[in-house]
Amino acid sequence: APAALAAAPAANAVVDRKVYLNFNECPLGPSPAALQAMSRGLPTTGRYRFELAGQLRELLASQLGVPAERLALYPGSSDPLNRAGHLFTSAEASVVVPDPTFEAVADVAAAHGAPVRKVPLAADFSHDVEAMAAADPRAGLIYVCNPNNPTGSVTPRARIEWLLAHKPANAVVLVDEAYIHYSEQPSVVDLAASRDDLIVLRTFSKLYGMAGLRLGAAVASPALLARLEQIGENPLPVPAMLAADASLRDSALVPTRKAANARIRQQTVEWLQARGFSCIPSESNCFMVDIKGDGKAFSQAMAAQGVVVGRSWPIWPQRVRVTVGTEAEMQQFRTAFTDVLKAGG
Ligand code: PLP
C-alpha cells in the first residue's frame, strides 16, 4: 500500500532534497503565528465555520480600505480568475492579455471558444496599455498582472488608470495582484471600490506562504461579485482561514518577508549580471534571466543538478523564470548554474 500522506516530511522546504524555484511559492511557508492558529483550530475543521469567513472578510476589507460588501473570499485566487475567464469571454468577446503572462485566464477563455489577444509587453516590460486598450473593440475581459508573472516587472498605477479610461466600455478589467506585497507599487484595490468594471484579485499563496492552504479574494462591485458567485459557491478551507487571520494580524510579516525577498533577489540578479546574464528588472519573488541558449534545455540541466527552476514562455525561448528562494537555496542555484555552464562549454 502507498505510504500515508501524513508520513511525508513536515518541513516546508525539503521533501526530496531538491531545491524548488519553479512555482513562485514562498520558501518560508505559513508564518509561525499562522501555524499555531491552525494547529489550535484543527479540531474544529469538521464544521464549515461560515462565521469565520464573515470575520475574515471584514478584517481583510478593512485592511484594504474597501467596504466588506465589495470583497469576496475564495479558496485561492485561481477560483475567481477561472470564473472571470468563463463569465466575461465568449466566441464574440475576447480576452486581452499581456505576453508573456500567467496563462490561466487565457486558457479558460480559449477552452470555451473565446479569441485570445496577446499584447507583447512594452520595451520597459510594463503592460503596453495603449495596445491593450486598442487590441479588440469587442474585448470582454482585459487581464492585467501587476507585478507580472513571469517577469516580475511592474505597470505603474497611472498606466492602469489610463487603461481603465480608454478600454472598450463593455470590457471588464481584471487586475491580478498576486505579487503586489513584494513590490513598491501601490495597489489599485481602491479603484475597485468605486468602479463597476474592475475586479482586483489578491491571494495568500505567495508572500503569506499559503499556496497549499488555498485562500484568495476578489474585490469588485456587488454586481460583479454576484456574477462571479453565479457559477456556484465553494466553502473556504478552515485551516486557511485561521492562517490568514493570524497572518493579517501580524503587522511585521509583510515588511519582513518583502525585505528578505528583495535582498536575496538583488544578490542573485547581481551575481548573474556580473557573469553576463541579463535579468529583467523585477519587483516580485521571481525574475527572468536570459541564459543565452535554449531555456528548456537549461531548465532540464538545472533539474538534473537538483535545482528545479521555472520555464520559458514561447515569446522568449531564451529567458527562464526563477523563483526567489531562501539564501541557502539561492546559493545552491548559483552552484548548479555554474556547473551547468561548465558542462555546456
Ligand atoms: N495569479 C498569478 C499571477 C499567479 O502567478 C498565480 C499562481 O501562480 C495565481 C494567480 C493563482 O494562485 P492561487 O490560486 O494559489 O491564489
Side-chain angles (χ1 to χ4, degrees):
L5 283 176
N12 177 55
V14 183
V15 280
D16 56 9
R17 295 182 183 279
K18 286 202 171 106
V19 173
Y20 287 94
L21 308 176
N22 57 335
F23 290 146
N24 292 353
E25 298 147 334
C26 175
L28 307 173
S31 75
L35 289 173
Q36 201 178 46
M38 284 193 286
S39 46
R40 272 204 301 263
L42 278 179
T44 72
T45 55
R47 304 283 176 186
Y48 288 112
R49 305 281 319 261
F50 292 116
E51 91 293 351
L52 206 54
Q55 288 162 21
L56 185 61
R57 181 192 196 199
E58 297 279 344
L59 178 61
L60 182 57
S62 80
Q63 290 197 0
L64 293 177
V66 300
E69 67 268 18
R70 288 202 169 234
L71 186 144
L73 296 170
Y74 286 96
S77 63
S78 296
D79 187 327
L81 192 60
N82 294 339
R83 288 167 188 253
H86 272 287
L87 280 167
F88 305 116
T89 74
S90 67
E92 289 78 43
S94 65
V95 62
V96 178
V97 294
D99 190 19
T101 198
F102 185 59
E103 291 114 327
V105 77
D107 289 348
V108 170
H112 79 141
V116 176
R117 313 270 185 238
K118 292 185 175 185
V119 178
L121 294 175
D124 65 357
F125 303 104
S126 67
H127 288 42
D128 186 344
V129 291
E130 286 85 0
M132 291 180 79
D136 187 350
R138 296 203 302 175
L141 185 64
I142 301 177
Y143 178 67
V144 172
C145 190
N146 198 34
N148 189 41
N149 177 9
T151 53
S153 55
V154 295
T155 301
R157 178 186 166 107
R159 308 306 297 145
I160 298 174
E161 288 176 346
W162 190 94
L163 176 65
L164 286 164
H166 294 88
K167 69 173 177 70
N170 291 329
V172 171
V173 174
L174 192 157
V175 180
D176 185 338
E177 294 189 338
Y179 301 98
I180 195 84
H181 309 95
Y182 289 110
S183 89
E184 302 305 324
Q185 302 303 308
S187 170
V188 293
V189 78
D190 57 306
L191 301 178
S194 57
R195 301 186 64 105
D196 57 9
D197 55 0
L198 172 64
I199 302 171
V200 177
L201 298 185
R202 290 296 191 98
T203 184
F204 287 88
S205 294
K206 304 302 176 182
L207 180 137
Y208 291 100
M210 291 171 45
L213 279 164
R214 313 308 300 143
L215 200 72
V219 179
S221 68
L224 274 181
L225 292 182
R227 285 191 69 189
L228 294 176
E229 207 60 32
Q230 279 166 5
I231 296 188
E233 289 188 21
N234 193 356
L236 301 168
V238 171
M241 291 194 280
L242 296 167
D245 179 80
S247 301
L248 291 176
R249 291 176 197 282
D250 176 357
S251 58
L253 188 60
V254 174
T256 306
R257 289 187 170 190
K258 177 184 173 182
N261 173 75
R263 180 173 51 77
I264 297 167
R265 183 188 65 227
Q266 188 64 18
Q267 280 171 359
T268 312
V269 164
E270 279 170 10
W271 185 90
L272 286 164
Q273 289 182 332
R275 281 150 191 82
F277 296 94
S278 68
C279 300
I280 294 172
S282 167
E283 292 191 17
S284 189
N285 69 338
C286 67
F287 61 88
M288 284 190 113
V289 53
D290 184 344
I291 54 98
K292 301 189 281 190
D294 180 45
K296 196 169 175 184
F298 170 81
S299 296
Q300 282 165 355
M302 288 291 285
Q305 299 289 322
V307 177
V308 184
V309 296
R311 61 191 170 93
S312 298
W313 267 245
I315 190 174
W316 294 333
Q318 301 204 341
R319 286 186 170 120
V320 171
R321 186 186 72 188
V322 178
T323 303
V324 178
T326 61
E327 204 136 14
E329 287 171 335
M330 298 324 277
Q331 178 54 54
Q332 286 178 266
F333 167 83
R334 293 195 286 268
T335 303
F337 194 98
T338 306
D339 291 346
V340 165
L341 275 192
K342 266 188 221 141

